């Protein structure tokens, strides 16, 4: 956690025959979907075994990286590892669509666009439910199988709360603080040039050089010479353009923003957002991997009559980040999505990167673990 208060002024597939008919399996699946208690058939059909085999082939453990003991905490988790393979009938009982999507008429159901989620206004009570995580993302459908499929896109997903006068400052000041915070989030996480490895100059220009003497020099140093102590991914979402590029032009976003007053002349804006980036290798190929970044940031808009501050500029009171499906122990200023051929054996705990119900995770050491899905 980087907590930097501003200074105040001095004054202030199997093909063998099945003993279970398709009609029996269909009846079982229908009863399972409706919550019935019918016992499972003794043997799944060939289609069921084919689906389960494909699921097992896709399950590979991969790493996550815990936070570094640096002034600006950041945590990374590696690529997705599937839940332990279950018997075919058990898997299908939980998700009948694994079979029904392959029956006549099922494909259209599988590809239908789900209804978008309403805006997030408070901390969720739990992680999103199963959203077909075994369904493979493609260039044309890069969010298939992800909860982010129902999330809003890009800057439009960052909605501003109602402004009000706080801490002796006007409603217009609060509106400015909210707007500047959104501008920073967009410039730092959604600017296509920044995502493609460019310098986040627009975001840096929103920060106050007067209120925080070290922040801007530290960030510029990290962009020039990234290291574990000065890694710009703490604030900016950047990928190596020689390695990967976005699959399409959409980044999914979900989160919320709130306004509060601090000390007199100090407006605080707290933002908690998760960004989902679908990526493909820069040298070609159709395989899509998603990197997920959750950020919490608290910005300050200060009254220059009471604080050493530049009018209209933001100070950063605190920021934290968790990153998921990115290589462990790499401090080169970029996030590195992990593709199947690059996956490592993971030893740490599993994490759901879409679970926004709790605080950002704060672990110790350099452990690598797994994420349950991307």
């Amino acid at each position: 956690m980087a907590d930097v208060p501003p200074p105040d002024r001095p004054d202030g597939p199997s093909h063998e025959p099945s003993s279970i008919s398709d009609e029996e399996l269909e009846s079982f699946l229908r009863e399972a979907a409706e919550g019935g208690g019918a016992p499972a058939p003794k043997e799944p059909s060939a289609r069921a075994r084919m689906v389960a085999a494909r699921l097992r082939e896709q399950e590979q453990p991969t790493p996550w990286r815990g936070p570094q003991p640096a002034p600006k905490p950041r945590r990374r988790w590696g690529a997705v590892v599937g839940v332990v393979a279950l018997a075919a009938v058990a898997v299908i009982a939980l998700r009948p669509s694994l079979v029904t999507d392959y029956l006549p008429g099922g494909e259209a159901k599988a590809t239908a666009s789900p209804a978008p989620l309403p805006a997030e206004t408070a901390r969720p009570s739990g992680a999103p439910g199963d959203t077909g995580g075994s369904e493979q993302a493609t260039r044309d459908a890069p969010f298939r199988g992800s909860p982010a499929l129902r999330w809003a896109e890009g800057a439009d997903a960052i909605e501003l709360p109602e402004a009000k006068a706080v801490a002796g400052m006007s409603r217009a000041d609060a509106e400015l603080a909210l707007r500047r915070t959104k501008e920073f989030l967009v410039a730092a996480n959604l600017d296509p040039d920044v995502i493609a490895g460019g310098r986040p100059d627009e975001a840096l220009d929103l920060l106050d050089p007067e209120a925080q003497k070290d922040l801007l020099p530290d960030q510029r140093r990290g962009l020039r010479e990234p290291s574990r102590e000065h890694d710009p991914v703490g604030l900016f979402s950047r990928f190596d353009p020689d390695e990967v590029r976005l699959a399409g032009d959409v980044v999914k976003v979900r989160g919320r923003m709130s306004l509060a007053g601090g000390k007199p002349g100090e407006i605080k804006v707290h933002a908690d957002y998760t960004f989902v980036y679908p990526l493909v290798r820069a040298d070609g190929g159709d395989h899509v991997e998603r990197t997920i970044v959750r950020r919490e940031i608290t910005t300050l808009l200060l009254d220059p009559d009471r604080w050493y501050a530049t009018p209209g500029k933001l100070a950063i009171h605190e920021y934290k980040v968790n990153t998921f499906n990115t290589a462990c122990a790499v401090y080169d200023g970029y996030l590195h999505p992990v593709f199947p051929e690059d996956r490592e054996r993971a030893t740490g705990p599993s994490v759901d990167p879409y679970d926004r119900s709790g605080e950002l995770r704060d672990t110790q050491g350099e452990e690598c673990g797994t994420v349950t899905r991307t």
Side-chain angles (χ1 to χ4, degrees):
M1 179 176 67
D3 190 345
V4 188
D8 55 357
R9 290 187 178 276
D11 57 355
S14 168
H15 297 290
E16 58 186 330
S18 171
S19 61
I20 305 302
S21 70
D22 286 351
E23 289 76 16
E24 289 174 314
L25 177 60
E26 181 179 356
S27 174
F28 165 67
L29 294 175
R30 183 166 54 253
E31 291 179 14
E34 295 172 354
K42 295 181 180 179
E43 179 181 358
S45 70
R47 267 193 301 280
R49 290 192 297 274
M50 176 186 70
V51 172
R54 187 173 67 251
L55 289 175
R56 287 194 296 269
E57 291 173 358
Q58 293 175 350
E59 293 170 349
Q60 301 182 57
T62 54
W64 62 265
R65 176 164 65 84
Q68 291 68 56
K72 306 165 184 62
R74 52 195 178 274
R75 285 157 296 285
R76 300 183 182 182
W77 281 260
V80 65
V81 57
V83 179
V84 175
L86 303 177
V89 170
V91 173
I92 296 168
L94 290 172
R95 290 194 57 239
S97 63
L98 288 176
V99 170
T100 59
D101 284 351
Y102 289 90
L103 296 175
E107 183 178 357
K109 178 181 177 182
T111 58
S113 298
L117 290 175
E120 183 178 288
T121 57
R123 177 172 291 176
S125 60
D130 179 29
T131 54
S134 65
E135 298 170 352
Q136 181 61 50
T138 66
R139 286 177 177 267
D140 294 332
F143 298 99
R144 177 182 291 165
S146 163
L149 183 63
R150 298 183 62 193
W151 292 8
E153 300 177 5
D156 290 342
I158 303 177
E159 300 185 5
L160 303 184
E162 182 179 359
K164 60 182 179 180
V166 292
M169 300 180 71
S170 70
R171 178 176 178 177
D173 291 327
E175 289 175 343
L176 178 62
L178 291 167
R179 189 169 67 251
R180 288 284 186 263
T181 301
K182 175 174 179 175
E183 291 171 357
F184 181 83
L185 290 170
V186 170
N189 300 281
L190 297 173
D191 185 319
D193 293 334
V194 174
I195 294 172
R199 283 180 54 86
D201 290 328
E202 186 175 339
L204 292 171
D205 190 53
L206 291 167
L207 301 180
D208 192 344
E210 181 70 18
Q212 293 171 304
K213 300 292 186 181
D214 295 332
L215 181 63
L216 279 171
D218 285 349
Q219 293 302 315
R220 292 188 174 113
R221 176 181 175 182
L223 289 163
R224 290 192 313 269
E225 302 172 347
S227 65
R228 177 177 168 180
E229 289 73 27
H230 299 92
D231 191 346
V233 299
L235 276 175
F236 310 111
S237 294
R238 306 169 73 238
F239 297 88
D240 186 343
D242 294 330
E243 179 183 320
V244 294
R245 57 184 177 85
L246 276 181
D249 56 3
V250 172
V251 175
K252 293 282 192 167
V253 185
R254 186 153 183 83
R256 62 194 183 278
M257 188 183 298
S258 61
L259 174 74
K263 298 176 182 178
E266 182 183 82
I267 298 177
K268 287 187 174 183
V269 177
H270 180 75
D272 179 350
Y273 286 90
T274 299
F275 302 86
V276 184
Y277 303 92
L279 301 136
V280 293
R281 289 197 180 277
D283 58 2
D286 293 325
H287 185 87
V288 177
E289 285 292 338
R290 291 182 289 254
T291 289
I292 299 101
V293 179
R294 182 181 173 189
R295 298 188 183 278
E296 284 190 18
I297 182 170
T298 302
T299 63
L300 304 176
L301 185 73
L302 303 170
D303 182 352
D305 292 333
R306 298 179 179 177
W307 301 88
Y308 289 115
T310 305
K313 300 287 187 177
L314 292 177
I316 294 183
H317 175 67
E318 178 183 57
Y319 65 92
K320 296 182 287 187
V321 61
N322 283 173
T323 58
F324 307 88
N325 189 22
T326 185
C328 298
V330 179
Y331 310 100
D332 61 356
Y334 300 116
L335 298 167
H336 296 274
V338 181
F339 287 76
E341 59 269 27
D342 302 323
R343 290 174 180 168
E344 310 167 18
R345 175 175 293 279
T347 58
S350 297
V351 191
D352 183 351
Y354 292 97
D355 187 355
R356 295 182 41 79
S357 62
E359 301 285 347
L360 268 72
R361 293 166 178 83
D362 188 8
T363 61
Q364 298 298 319
E366 293 290 332
E367 294 178 298
C368 275
T370 62
V371 294
T372 58
R373 53 183 172 179
T374 65

